[in-house]
Amino acid sequence: MRYLATIFWGAILGQVVGFLIGALNSAPYDPKTSLIISVIFAIILCVLPPIMKANDPTAKSEH
């Protein structure tokens, strides 16, 4: 459930950031591109912590 919430809020915040960057650069706002980039970034943020924890030599093993 927390992954869905992270992706949802990542998409919303990505839309806000995309709009603001477009407005500051006088570029047209493209919601589709902002959505794709923000969802990819949110998925990376969901996947990265377990990968980092698995590769941590100081983490205690549960086995």
Side-chain angles (χ1 to χ4, degrees), residues 32-57:
K32 188 169 104 175
T33 304
S34 296
L35 180 67
I36 292 169
I37 292 172
S38 62
V39 167
I40 289 172
F41 188 69
I43 290 171
I44 289 171
L45 287 177
C46 287
V47 172
L48 200 59
I51 292 172
M52 291 175 59
K53 188 175 182 181
N55 293 332
D56 186 13

Side-chain angles (χ1 to χ4, degrees), residues 11-27:
I12 290 176
L13 293 174
Q15 293 296 316
V16 171
V17 169
F19 177 78
L20 290 175
I21 289 174
L24 291 173
N25 290 330
S26 300

